[in-house]
Amino acid sequence: MVRGRTEGALFGRELRRLRQQRGLSLRDLSKLIGFTPGYLSKVENGRPPSPELARACDDTLGGGGALVALASAEAAVRPAQLPAGIRRFVGRDEQLTLLHSAGAQAVIVDGPPGSGKTTLALRWAHHAVDRFPDGQLYVDLRGHSRHAQPVEPRVALAEFLIALGVPASGVPDGLDRCAALFRSVVADRKLLVVLDNAADGDQVRPLLPAAPGCAVMITSRERLSSVAVQTNALRVTLGPMTPADSVALIRRVIGDERADAEPRAVTDLAVRCGFLPLALRIAAERALAQPHYLIRDLVDELDADGRLEVLSTFDSVALRTVFEWSYRRLDEPCARLFRLLGLHRGPHISTGAAAALADLPMATARSLLDRLAGSHLAQAVGRDRYQLHDLLREYAAELVAAEERGPAVARMVTWYQATAYAAGLALAPFRVEELDPDPLTPPVMALAFADHDTALGWCDAELPNFVPVVQLGLEHRVCGPTWKFAVALWNYWLHRKPWTVWVRTQELALTAAERTGDPNAEGCVSVNLAEAYRRMGDFVQSTQLYMRALRLRQQSNDPLGEAWSLAGAAFLAVDNGDMARADEFAAQALALFREFDDQEGVGLALVTIGDVHRSQGRFDDALSAMAGSLAVQESLGAREAQSWVLMKMAAVHADRGHPDIALRELHQALATSRSAGDRWAEAEALSRIGDVLADLGRLPEARQSWAAAQAVYEDIGDPTHIEALRARANPEPLGA
């Protein structure tokens, strides 16, 4: 964000626009919402609003959530999303000079696959970051991936808005509203937006910032003429590199000594690669990896292939020829694994997943992957993790026989399901598992996890792959393992709360479950999705899904599943303030949980009953129910649940006028949450400690606790709570 920028400027301007649109004076609005005209004037002129004011103004003026989102976005962290650029960059001096000197607000870099569009864009972007002090946004729009769907503009906008500090619950549903909010949030910022691998103008247009301080860099295989006209974009069209730059690139990779020994062969190799950067790099890296080969030997191989004219032409066949040249040097086990790797859509693949794809033992798969990396047909990106360039992945997928695809995908998705199930057991060994995972067939083996941290580490590393794998399973109609995989991640969702991935996997899983025709499967996924929406504050969606889950569980005669649906519906009723329904649902759930001896469920139902008693002023009954819940959680070793129960008990003590006891319970909750590694509970405990201290008049201590809570929320990326804490630390009294 620009230094010196008034923090509340965006909110203030939108507030003034909506107020004037409705013909209201400041005094009129003041009477409607209970804040003084003077305070409203200050907010309209740049003072950051409190969350209470933002909600009141949004409700009164019909902002549709925009004012709340803008208020939450004011404190956004500076995004820095640019991927790393390539280290051995060569050439494109003319294009870089043009980009550096033009100072254009919009740039379109177009050209054929393999011409280095992304490499050039990132090279320039990294050198231009100082021009954009408010950060950089980046998205791969996957516009020209043969086997993956292009990113929907609304999905990209949602990711941008969240990166800019808008809470997930504040992201509008419709594309037009998302785009309008994005333009509002970036209105006073100096941001660089990189839209990589765009499909067409319709995909790009909603993602364009309108602010004069922002710039957008777009790469595409298409010319995007309509976008160029709309934005007056500077166009940079890439083709083959110059012969001199192509030779320089090969020399940079293989070294001057070897290049000087065969200068003509180096030149011929550049010609055979069509002077396209990706082909040049693959050929040069191949030469580097085989120092006992002459460069002329490699050139002769290309000539013998019979495709010299194709290699010299300006299209993607040049790349396929170079890929084929490397592929044909592989023995069949390596070649088969390479082909099957093309089926995996995620940004990287683990050795275990690759072994499942190819129906191999882990050790064999690891050896083959290392050989592929040595041939530069794969790249090692970490321990037991590899990736393929997107064009190499497309080429590999083309080679997979139709009869290989279904079985390979089924093995991999089933492996993910079984490994996620094992991770879930390690994350929460006390939880009664309803899931009956599909078995694996040797030599494919699920990973085993020695402890909580190892399981959590695997889930964190695989997080970017979860949606692509579920999507792949759904497309190949591997429906049972697909929905079970998404559900098996339940314990991870609860621990890390990756909202976007949580929701998307469950949406896809619900489709897979529906295709099975099994109401129990649909009910299980519906509960997972309902809880995600509840925690994100979307109570309408959550209600619909919980009621659907309840019907499905009753229909399939699954009383334990029915109990969990009732428990979730009870949580939701508490959130909605409907204590009568909360009491009804929790009592029914408690009876079923006791019947099946599901102690975790018993504990959760008891704490909901305690919430009901608290709302009725029956504090002794509330504490009794919550103490029963706490005893259950302690017996299970469920530390995350313990911390939340302790916080609820503290609230009861505070209500009945015992702040000292409330503080004691909150400090115990804080210690428990820290031992469990639950950062959300840690931040909430610190925030509530500050509230109690403030009620006791101990403001310096309260502010210290709020500051500590704010630091945790900043660390986990929760801007909504950050803003609320700032408002508590610096409240604006009525009449200011």
Side-chain angles (χ1 to χ4, degrees):
M1 198 174 290
V2 178
R3 302 297 177 265
R5 171 181 176 268
T6 304
E7 284 193 356
L10 291 175
F11 182 92
R13 281 204 301 272
E14 184 66 7
L15 174 60
R16 181 181 291 113
R17 185 186 71 79
L18 290 173
R19 176 178 61 78
Q20 292 176 347
Q21 187 180 73
R22 284 153 182 76
L24 297 174
S25 66
L26 286 172
R27 191 168 299 279
D28 294 334
L29 182 57
S30 171
K31 292 177 181 177
L32 291 173
I33 64 175
F35 287 80
T36 66
Y39 176 38
L40 292 174
S41 176
K42 291 175 184 178
V43 171
E44 286 195 354
N45 285 284
R47 172 170 290 190
S50 69
E52 292 78 11
L53 174 66
R55 282 192 295 272
C57 290
D58 195 279
D59 292 342
T60 302
L61 299 176
L67 287 175
V68 173
L70 286 173
S72 300
E74 300 294 344
V77 295
R78 175 183 181 271
Q81 297 184 337
L82 291 179
I86 194 165
R87 287 187 297 173
R88 291 192 288 230
F89 187 89
V90 174
R92 304 300 192 194
D93 293 336
E94 178 182 344
Q95 290 87 351
L96 284 171
T97 299
L98 176 62
L99 289 170
H100 286 311
S101 61
Q105 280 187 268
V107 178
I108 296 174
V109 180
D110 60 28
S115 56
K117 300 180 291 296
T118 298
T119 301
L120 176 69
L122 293 178
R123 179 74 170 186
W124 174 81
H126 279 289
H127 281 271
V129 291
D130 289 342
R131 289 175 46 193
F132 305 97
D134 294 320
Q136 320 97 44
L137 296 170
Y138 172 89
V139 62
D140 179 1
L141 293 171
R142 298 202 305 267
H144 297 89
S145 175
R146 180 170 301 180
H147 301 296
Q149 292 298 314
V151 175
E152 295 179 9
R154 191 205 167 275
V155 173
L157 283 168
E159 295 297 331
F160 281 173
L161 288 168
I162 291 170
L164 291 165
V166 175
S169 58
V171 176
D173 290 330
L175 174 59
D176 291 342
R177 290 179 62 198
C178 255
L181 181 57
F182 173 66
R183 291 190 294 270
S184 296
V185 170
V186 304
D188 279 357
R189 305 191 191 203
K190 289 188 176 180
L191 279 166
L192 174 62
V193 181
V194 179
L195 307 177
D196 196 15
N197 195 15
D200 52 36
D202 290 339
Q203 186 187 35
V204 166
R205 272 187 289 273
L207 309 179
L208 298 174
C214 294
V216 60
M217 167 77 77
I218 308 164
T219 74
S220 180
R221 298 184 192 179
E222 306 295 330
R223 288 185 58 81
L224 304 181
S225 298
S226 63
V227 176
V229 171
Q230 176 184 343
T231 61
N232 193 29
L234 170 68
R235 182 182 298 282
V236 177
T237 299
L238 297 184
M241 298 177 73
T242 65
D245 284 341
S246 299
V247 169
L249 191 157
I250 294 174
R251 292 180 67 93
R252 179 72 63 88
V253 174
I254 68 173
D256 289 341
E257 181 179 351
R258 194 170 175 194
D260 288 340
E262 296 184 82
R264 182 54 187 260
V266 170
T267 299
D268 290 345
L269 184 60
V271 171
R272 301 308 191 273
C273 290
F275 305 126
L276 289 176
L278 183 58
L280 289 163
R281 289 188 182 279
I282 292 172
E285 293 285 353
R286 180 72 179 184
L288 179 66
Q290 295 185 324
H292 54 284
Y293 268 58
L294 295 174
I295 304 300
R296 176 57 59 189
D297 293 335
L298 303 181
V299 174
D300 289 344
E301 275 194 69
L302 282 174
D303 289 344
D305 187 66
R307 299 188 181 181
L308 178 59
E309 287 298 315
V310 173
L311 260 174
S312 301
T313 60
F314 179 46
D315 64 19
S316 61
V317 178
L319 293 175
R320 186 174 292 109
T321 303
V322 175
F323 296 160
E324 185 174 316
W325 167 48
S326 293
Y327 172 71
R328 286 187 175 182
R329 296 187 62 83
L330 301 174
D331 59 27
E332 177 50 25
C334 250
R336 177 173 176 268
L337 179 59
F338 173 72
R339 293 193 301 268
L340 294 173
L341 289 176
L343 297 173
H344 189 277
R345 309 275 182 76
H348 49 70
I349 186 169
S350 69
T351 302
L357 265 176
D359 201 18
L360 295 171
M362 282 269 288
T364 304
R366 183 180 292 112
S367 175
L368 295 176
L369 286 165
D370 286 341
R371 288 165 59 189
L372 288 173
S375 301
H376 297 281
L377 289 172
Q379 179 185 0
V381 292
R383 183 180 179 183
D384 271 338
R385 293 206 171 269
Y386 300 82
Q387 66 180 191
L388 271 65
H389 185 281
D390 59 348
L391 293 173
L392 271 171
R393 185 167 60 238
E394 288 185 20
Y395 172 73
E398 288 179 358
L399 303 174
V400 184
E403 61 271 17
E404 282 187 294
R405 292 175 180 270
V409 170
R411 285 192 302 268
M412 184 181 70
V413 176
T414 305
W415 176 85
Y416 267 104
Q417 166 229 237
T419 301
Y421 181 80
L425 292 177
L427 289 172
F430 55 82
R431 186 156 289 139
V432 176
E433 288 292 345
E434 297 180 73
L435 199 64
D436 182 19
D438 288 17
L440 292 170
T441 302
V444 178
M445 301 285 289
L447 298 183
F449 301 99
D451 52 38
H452 175 283
D453 291 346
T454 306
L456 188 62
W458 179 81
C459 292
D460 286 341
E462 287 286 348
L463 180 61
N465 290 324
F466 288 157
V467 171
V469 169
V470 174
Q471 178 76 59
L472 187 67
L474 182 61
E475 289 175 6
H476 285 78
R477 306 191 78 83
V478 186
C479 295
T482 295
W483 77 259
K484 290 180 181 180
F485 167 45
V487 167
L489 292 165
W490 171 251
N491 295 334
Y492 178 67
W493 304 141
L494 293 179
H495 190 86
R496 286 291 197 229
K497 304 172 182 64
W499 305 118
T500 301
V501 179
W502 183 350
V503 169
R504 186 56 182 151
T505 55
Q506 303 311 303
E507 289 174 339
L508 294 168
L510 188 56
T511 301
E514 289 168 348
R515 288 180 180 175
T516 68
D518 179 359
N520 185 56
E522 293 181 52
C524 192
V525 181
S526 294
V527 167
N528 279 21
L529 187 54
E531 185 60 14
Y533 279 128
R534 184 185 77 83
R535 290 172 181 247
M536 292 170 63
D538 189 341
F539 296 159
V540 173
Q541 288 261 45
S542 183
T543 299
Q544 293 172 351
L545 285 160
Y546 267 128
M547 292 302 100
R548 177 187 184 185
L550 186 57
R551 289 193 302 271
L552 288 165
R553 293 304 183 95
Q554 291 169 341
Q555 176 185 336
S556 59
N557 192 27
D558 177 11
L560 185 56
E562 180 183 347
W564 280 107
S565 302
L566 287 164
F571 299 153
L572 183 60
V574 170
D575 293 337
N576 280 317
D578 188 348
M579 293 303 177
R581 292 193 61 150
D583 193 23
E584 175 189 352
F585 289 149
Q588 293 177 41
L590 180 60
L592 289 169
F593 284 135
R594 283 175 169 162
E595 179 181 345
F596 287 91
D597 195 29
D598 188 331
Q599 290 302 301
E600 183 193 16
V602 168
L604 295 178
L606 283 172
V607 82
T608 302
I609 290 170
D611 283 331
V612 173
H613 291 330
R614 178 192 171 202
S615 73
Q616 298 167 340
R618 296 164 55 189
F619 298 137
D620 288 340
D621 290 339
L623 288 172
S624 176
M626 291 176 180
S629 174
L630 183 62
V632 169
Q633 308 302 348
E634 289 174 342
S635 70
L636 295 173
R639 292 176 297 171
E640 293 175 13
Q642 290 173 43
S643 62
W644 287 105
V645 175
L646 286 164
M647 282 188 272
K648 287 180 176 290
M649 294 176 73
V652 178
H653 287 300
D655 285 350
R656 70 189 310 178
H658 295 159
D660 292 338
I661 301 177
L663 276 178
R664 185 186 67 203
E665 301 281 28
L666 287 171
H667 280 292
Q668 187 178 345
L670 178 61
T672 304
S673 64
R674 284 173 171 167
S675 69
D678 188 341
R679 305 302 307 284
W680 277 266
E682 178 186 355
E684 183 66 18
L686 286 165
S687 176
R688 294 190 187 195
I689 288 170
D691 293 343
V692 176
L693 289 169
D695 289 341
L696 290 170
R698 296 158 61 180
L699 284 178
E701 294 172 79
R703 291 193 178 101
Q704 286 181 352
S705 193
W706 285 329
Q710 182 178 328
V712 177
Y713 279 127
E714 287 173 347
D715 193 33
I716 60 180
D718 191 330
T720 303
H721 284 94
I722 293 170
E723 190 63 28
L725 283 166
R726 285 179 178 163
R728 270 183 255 177
N730 300 284
E732 180 72 31
L734 192 66

